[in-house]
Amino acid sequence: MYISRLQLLNYKSFRDSGVLEFQPGINIIVGANNSGKTALLEALSLSFKDIPHRSLKTAGDADPSSHVQVSLVADKSAIKEVAQIISSDFQFVYSANKTDRNLTAETMHRLFLDWFDAPAAVETRVCLLGDCKVVEVEKSLTNDLTFNVYCINKQDYYIDKIAGTKFNRCTVDSEITTRLVEYFSRHTYRLYAERPNLASCFFGDRSELEPDGSNLAEVLNQLQLSGKKKLFNRFLTYVSAIFPEIGLVSVRPKPNLKDFTGSDTSRRSRELEILIWSQEAAENDKEDLAFPLSECGTGTGQVLAILYAVLASPTPRTIIIDEPQSYLHPGAAKKLIQILKEFPQHQYFIATHSAEIIAAANPSTIVKLRYEDGETQASTMNAGDIREQRSLLAELGVSLSDVFGADSILWVEGPTEEQCFPLILEKLAPKLSTGTKIVSIKNTGDLLGKKAHFADVMFDLYQRLSGGNNLYPPAVGFVFDKECLSELDIEDLRRRKPHPIKFIKRRMYENYLLHPDAIAAALNYEDAGREQPVSGEEVRERLETHKLNKNYFPKPDIQRSKDDTPKHLANAKWIDKIDAAKVLAALFAELSEARVQFKKTSHSLMLTEWLLENNPEHFADLAQFLRDILDKGKAALD
């Protein structure tokens, strides 16, 4: 049984969620803090109160109550179980040719169950108020089932197979649907992000886990005693897969506590508690080395409850998991998701902001929530959309974690800029950097130079990633190195792309790092075996030599001015035009006597950090350049 669609109206931050469609398997809900994730999870569990949305938009609403319009798809096993419940609670009267004839309870029970001869799955659409109260049945189960059942009141059901007499159909539809909604709510597990009380409970013989997992000790005790050894061992295997340090899980009566008179406390003596065994304790059968679940982290109990619900449920269930990354290590969270995928008959709703969990889940749908203008807005990506987005990311060599969770993206030349630009903005323009993620383009060569004919295709991929109904934030622009591009090349690229394409003033980012004192500091750190430290003056003298070397400058051609020669560049222009990466490589090799090799990404980051610490104004022009791009890009998005 699962939810196929849901619309949440006038509840907490939701005025109208719109119709959200879901599938069996894993459904992901993403959104910033206070975007409405908890409210949506409450609605999905069909366990919500009447808490109307409050804003200026709802001031004149005629109906202030909160309600949910939901479509439930019930399989045959769920319908049969509901039929069993109803048939045991009510007395029946058989009607033939409008003449009532009393039958035995056994016959009526059989006739009633025969009516529930459902196909593989049947959908019912209902409108609910708080606490699962059915107020309207838009599409009843009786539309699709074999016979007609009619209800006079809550004591008598009529079955008419012969004459087709119809009697109070709306009453029976509402009654059956109400029972089905209650059944769904009872069979829905919701695991909260906050620490639940799962470590102990009173003795009992139930094998059905409560929706909040509160009787976890009871059901695990039944599992270990019921003779279902194979199932219990499978449960333990999954626990150890997620937590390799755990060798065994067991349940025992909670040790009695003595009160001040020396008597056993009555409450404690009736409780069960869950024990967690390390691998060492399990291998040596040393219960005294085991410790109560209450002494473990929050994630351990949550995982035990989830695994039990998944493994021990004979029929499909709905399992709601709130922010698993808040109580599980990323590796454990990913392993849990992989296990859940082995049980696709269940429906999972996982609220998360973890890109790693989303990537591991391969979800059926993703619902993205955002809080705007006093209310929550929701949009849905289906599996086809998600596959397309992943395909686009693969084409670009970008991972989901590279772009997920940002308000906007600034695409930059490469990994060096991806690491260094955020540091510069954080130091010199901290407010602007909030919400914007800087991500490197992995294949810049496909956009520039000899492969420029691929630019239209590549830019189209970035455009499709950065707009529309998807997981990924919009682009505010692209920042490239000038390298050896002519003005014609630059203008050609700018014509190809609607988002702003900007080029830094200098040939490449490393040109901003040709600072003698910074280079000397990096060399002294890396070349610790040197007898005398390198001085900034030594680096400055070497730079004076290198800036006269024509091999470090672009060759003059018809698209460049005749003044672009080493002689002229030896003045102010040299810092803009020189191949700084090659110069840095030469300086590192020469001044360390080849003991230190310049590594573009790591050493550029080291130089950047030194300059931001000791001379942040060195990046003032570059920071202003980035500030202008972000200001204009964000203004265009508003």
Side-chain angles (χ1 to χ4, degrees):
M1 188 168 179
Y2 67 93
I3 293 177
S4 60
R5 60 176 64 89
L6 179 139
Q7 184 175 10
L8 181 55
L9 299 159
N10 197 29
Y11 181 63
K12 292 189 174 180
S13 62
F14 287 89
R15 185 168 181 242
D16 183 352
S17 68
V19 177
L20 305 175
E21 297 190 357
F22 303 103
Q23 298 292 331
I26 298 178
N27 301 269
I28 295 289
I29 299 168
V30 300
N33 291 336
N34 299 315
S35 63
K37 296 193 296 295
T38 298
L40 181 56
L41 293 182
E42 290 167 350
L44 288 165
S45 68
L46 305 188
S47 178
F48 63 98
K49 303 295 182 182
D50 185 17
I51 307 176
H53 173 72
R54 295 182 180 181
S55 70
L56 293 176
K57 298 176 183 178
T58 60
D61 286 357
D63 182 8
S65 59
S66 304
H67 55 286
V68 166
Q69 294 177 351
V70 62
S71 294
L72 300 175
V73 177
D75 61 9
K76 199 162 188 173
S77 62
I79 293 172
K80 283 287 188 183
E81 189 168 338
V82 171
Q84 291 279 3
I85 295 170
I86 293 177
S87 66
S88 64
D89 287 349
F90 297 95
Q91 298 176 348
F92 300 95
V93 175
Y94 179 71
S95 174
N97 296 324
K98 300 182 181 180
T99 301
D100 292 348
R101 180 177 55 177
N102 290 329
L103 298 177
T104 65
E106 181 180 352
T107 303
M108 291 306 306
H109 180 78
R110 177 178 55 78
L111 288 171
F112 185 78
L113 294 183
D114 284 346
W115 174 73
F116 283 90
D117 185 15
V122 175
E123 182 183 80
T124 181
R125 292 195 293 269
V126 298
C127 181
L128 305 175
L129 294 178
D131 298 318
C132 299
K133 181 180 179 181
V134 176
V135 293
E136 181 182 355
V137 180
E138 181 184 343
K139 182 178 185 295
S140 170
L141 287 174
T142 59
N143 295 336
D144 298 316
L145 298 179
T146 305
F147 304 124
N148 290 324
V149 177
Y150 308 102
C151 176
I152 296 177
N153 53 48
K154 290 190 177 182
Q155 300 301 319
D156 299 311
Y157 276 85
Y158 284 77
I159 300 178
D160 189 341
K161 295 172 58 179
I162 301 173
T165 304
K166 295 186 177 181
F167 197 69
N168 286 345
R169 178 171 184 145
C170 63
T171 307
V172 71
D173 284 350
S174 178
E175 183 65 30
I176 293 172
T177 304
T178 296
R179 294 301 187 99
L180 196 67
V181 170
E182 292 173 352
Y183 172 90
F184 177 87
S185 184
R186 286 198 311 273
H187 288 74
T188 296
Y189 298 115
R190 183 179 174 200
L191 283 305
Y192 296 84
E194 59 268 20
R195 186 182 185 95
N197 182 23
L198 305 178
S200 62
C201 69
F202 289 108
F203 273 102
D205 57 4
R206 293 177 298 170
S207 59
E208 183 81 13
L209 185 66
E210 289 291 325
D212 60 359
S214 57
N215 67 328
L216 179 61
E218 177 187 16
V219 298
L220 288 180
N221 187 51
Q222 287 299 306
L223 184 61
Q224 72 179 9
L225 298 176
S226 64
K228 297 180 180 179
K229 186 175 180 180
K230 190 173 182 180
L231 183 61
F232 187 63
N233 287 339
R234 191 179 182 192
F235 171 80
L236 295 177
T237 298
Y238 283 138
V239 172
S240 294
I242 298 173
F243 303 117
E245 66 278 8
I246 296 179
L248 180 66
V249 177
S250 67
V251 182
R252 70 177 182 186
K254 200 165 188 176
N256 295 338
L257 296 180
K258 304 288 185 179
D259 63 20
F260 66 92
T261 65
S263 302
D264 292 343
T265 57
S266 58
R267 183 178 184 276
R268 293 284 186 180
S269 63
R270 301 197 309 272
E271 280 190 305
L272 294 168
E273 71 173 355
I274 299 171
L275 284 184
I276 302 299
W277 301 57
S278 66
Q279 292 287 351
E280 180 186 23
E283 290 170 2
N284 294 280
D285 196 24
K286 299 285 289 182
E287 185 175 308
D288 58 311
L289 297 181
F291 44 90
L293 176 62
S294 59
E295 298 178 12
C296 298
T298 305
T300 307
Q302 299 277 38
V303 167
L304 296 184
I306 293 169
L307 291 179
Y308 181 87
V310 168
L311 278 167
S313 298
T315 57
R317 303 295 176 94
T318 294
I319 299 172
I320 298 173
I321 306 173
D322 193 4
E323 303 287 0
Q325 75 282 346
S326 68
Y327 51 81
L328 286 178
H329 181 274
K334 289 172 66 175
K335 192 63 182 179
L336 173 63
I337 296 300
Q338 292 168 3
I339 292 172
L340 297 184
K341 289 164 68 176
E342 296 182 26
F343 300 87
Q345 72 271 26
H346 301 302
Q347 185 178 39
Y348 308 95
F349 293 101
I350 302 176
T352 183
H353 59 261
S354 167
E356 289 77 11
I357 289 177
I358 298 173
N362 190 22
S364 302
T365 60
I366 296 178
V367 175
K368 184 177 181 180
L369 304 179
R370 61 192 186 282
Y371 190 77
E372 294 180 355
D373 300 326
E375 63 180 292
T376 296
Q377 304 290 339
S379 57
T380 304
M381 290 179 65
N382 60 36
D385 295 331
I386 297 165
R387 283 193 295 270
E388 180 185 10
Q389 297 297 318
R390 285 206 173 114
S391 177
L392 293 175
L393 287 175
E395 289 280 347
L396 299 171
V398 180
S399 69
L400 175 63
S401 58
D402 287 333
V403 297
F404 178 71
D407 296 327
S408 58
I409 297 176
L410 177 65
W411 297 98
V412 295
E413 176 80 15
T416 301
E417 289 81 357
E418 182 179 321
Q419 291 187 65
C420 297
F421 282 5
L423 297 179
I424 294 171
L425 286 170
E426 184 180 352
K427 185 73 173 181
L428 300 176
K431 292 183 179 180
L432 278 176
S433 62
T434 304
T436 298
K437 204 159 190 179
I438 296 177
V439 183
S440 64
I441 291 176
K442 307 301 180 182
N443 300 304
T444 314
D446 290 342
L447 305 178
L448 309 171
K450 294 181 179 180
K451 295 184 179 180
H453 58 284
F454 291 122
D456 288 334
V457 175
M458 297 297 291
F459 278 139
D460 179 62
L461 293 177
Y462 282 100
Q463 173 72 11
R464 289 160 65 190
L465 270 177
S466 296
N469 178 26
N470 57 40
L471 247 169
Y472 311 108
V476 293
F478 291 77
V479 175
F480 295 143
D481 293 344
K482 277 189 176 180
E483 288 289 349
C484 299
L485 290 177
S486 68
E487 289 301 321
L488 292 177
D489 295 331
I490 291 172
E491 288 305 314
D492 182 56
L493 279 173
R494 283 175 173 161
R495 283 195 301 269
R496 294 172 185 264
K497 190 70 184 71
H499 286 301
I501 294 180
K502 299 294 183 180
F503 295 85
I504 61 175
K505 177 182 176 182
R506 299 180 181 180
R507 180 171 177 171
M508 62 185 68
Y509 174 67
E510 283 73 20
N511 287 59
Y512 291 91
L513 305 180
L514 295 179
H515 188 287
D517 294 333
I519 296 170
L523 277 167
N524 290 328
Y525 178 83
E526 293 282 45
D527 192 15
R530 184 184 175 92
E531 294 183 3
Q532 294 293 330
V534 178
S535 67
E537 189 57 37
E538 287 181 80
V539 178
R540 191 172 289 104
E541 290 175 0
R542 296 283 181 145
L543 276 174
E544 289 297 321
T545 301
H546 286 305
K547 74 181 186 182
L548 298 175
N549 187 339
K550 65 180 181 180
N551 294 324
Y552 292 136
F553 293 92
K555 295 179 180 179
D557 57 45
I558 58 172
Q559 296 176 334
R560 294 185 173 83
S561 69
K562 294 180 180 180
D563 288 339
D564 283 357
T565 63
K567 180 179 178 181
H568 292 83
L569 292 170
N571 299 318
K573 280 188 176 181
W574 76 269
I575 195 67
D576 294 340
K577 296 285 188 175
I578 201 167
D579 190 331
K582 288 184 179 179
V583 172
L584 286 167
L587 289 172
F588 271 62
E590 294 166 3
L591 292 169
S592 70
E593 298 178 347
R595 288 185 296 273
V596 180
Q597 181 182 3
F598 175 70
K599 296 177 182 178
K600 183 176 168 66
T601 303
S602 60
H603 286 132
S604 294
L605 178 61
M606 184 184 296
L607 292 168
T608 301
E609 290 173 336
W610 189 94
L611 285 165
L612 288 172
E613 179 68 26
N614 296 277
N615 186 14
E617 288 305 310
H618 178 79
F619 290 116
D621 289 344
L622 181 58
Q624 185 60 50
F625 168 80
L626 296 173
R627 184 184 290 116
D628 291 343
I629 294 174
L630 294 178
D631 280 340
K632 292 177 182 178
K634 290 183 177 180
L637 295 176
D638 292 338

